[in-house]
Amino acid sequence: MAMATWILLTSLFFISASAADSKNNPADELVSVLNRNRTAHKSSALPDNAGLACIAIQYIKAYQGKCDDVGGSNAKVPADAEFVENFAPNCGVQVTTLAPITGRLIACQSHYISPKEAFSELLIHNQRSLDILYSKNHTQVGAAVSGSDGGGPYFWCILFGGGNSTNSFVLDGGVAKSQRPGCFSGTDEECSGVGVLANYLWPYTLGISFLMAYVFVL
């Protein structure tokens, strides 16, 4: 009886954890925070485009884990040609459907923080970033969050696009190629990376530990 109960609880744990991970995808949350800020400023909410979001994680990968290249005097920006030659193909985005990138926000630091904190403390930090956030040139958005396989540094990236959100940044078969580590908005893709997942799954891990202990005591 105790073993059967344990199996049931374990199954429920994995279902709940999966649902929590999907619901609490940090890249999705980043877009939600962004749109709440835009609407509070009387700007329109932007549709989340999974193809553009996948390109955002490719944009992160172009930095090869080098935080120093993101900001400051040594800041670097991936060449526009990368979108056609690497970013789109690596995501399965049809190159002919690429639309203009109308804005970019990217930040990096050694440890993970919540999407809300990343937005207000790292991504939006001066007048230029505010101008990008509230620009009327944007018609869609995509966000990505990624660490490395071993944890930090952690990158947060938001790409804004122009064009029609229904026929731009179109994914082959409607599904992006798998991107690891990290996650991007607009999909049901689970977020990989211990540092990111730990922040969302620890309550479930703790809960199942108590439940297992209870079951085995019975």
Side-chain angles (χ1 to χ4, degrees), residues 12 43 46 50 83 116 151 165 184 189:
L12 289 173
S43 299
L46 298 172
F83 286 84
K116 184 177 180 180
S165 61
F184 54 96
E189 191 82 8

Side-chain angles (χ1 to χ4, degrees), residues 44-132:
S44 61
L46 298 172
D48 192 349
N49 187 307
L52 180 58
C54 183
I55 288 176
I57 205 166
Q58 283 291 314
Y59 195 88
I60 287 174
K61 292 179 186 299
Y63 285 91
Q64 300 180 327
K66 299 175 181 176
C67 265
D68 291 343
D69 289 348
V70 171
S73 58
N74 296 322
K76 298 178 182 178
V77 177
D80 289 341
E82 289 287 321
F83 286 84
V84 175
E85 297 172 3
N86 293 307
F87 298 166
N90 289 343
C91 281
V93 171
Q94 298 172 15
V95 173
T96 56
T97 66
L98 289 175
I101 300 298
T102 53
R104 316 175 192 192
L105 295 172
I106 185 165
C108 174
Q109 69 174 21
S110 59
H111 62 279
Y112 182 80
I113 57 177
S114 72
K116 184 177 180 180
E117 292 172 314
F119 182 83
S120 61
E121 297 175 15
L122 300 179
L123 292 165
I124 305 300
H125 56 87
N126 57 23
Q127 187 58 49
R128 175 173 167 74
S129 55
L130 285 171
D131 291 342
I132 292 172

Side-chain angles (χ1 to χ4, degrees), residues 27-41:
D28 282 335
E29 289 191 45
L30 200 53
V31 172
S32 295
V33 172
L34 179 150
N35 275 327
R36 285 198 298 270
N37 275 269
R38 279 181 59 89
T39 54
H41 194 263

Side-chain angles (χ1 to χ4, degrees), residues 103-172:
R104 316 175 192 192
L105 295 172
I106 185 165
C108 174
Q109 69 174 21
S110 59
H111 62 279
Y112 182 80
I113 57 177
S114 72
K116 184 177 180 180
E117 292 172 314
F119 182 83
S120 61
E121 297 175 15
L122 300 179
L123 292 165
I124 305 300
H125 56 87
N126 57 23
Q127 187 58 49
R128 175 173 167 74
S129 55
L130 285 171
D131 291 342
I132 292 172
L133 172 63
Y134 299 129
S135 173
K136 296 181 179 180
N137 294 327
H138 312 320
T139 59
Q140 54 194 318
V141 67
V145 179
S146 182
S148 65
D149 289 322
Y154 292 96
F155 290 77
W156 292 264
C157 179
I158 299 173
L159 294 182
F160 299 92
N164 188 316
S165 61
T166 60
N167 57 22
S168 56
F169 303 102
V170 176
L171 293 163
D172 287 325

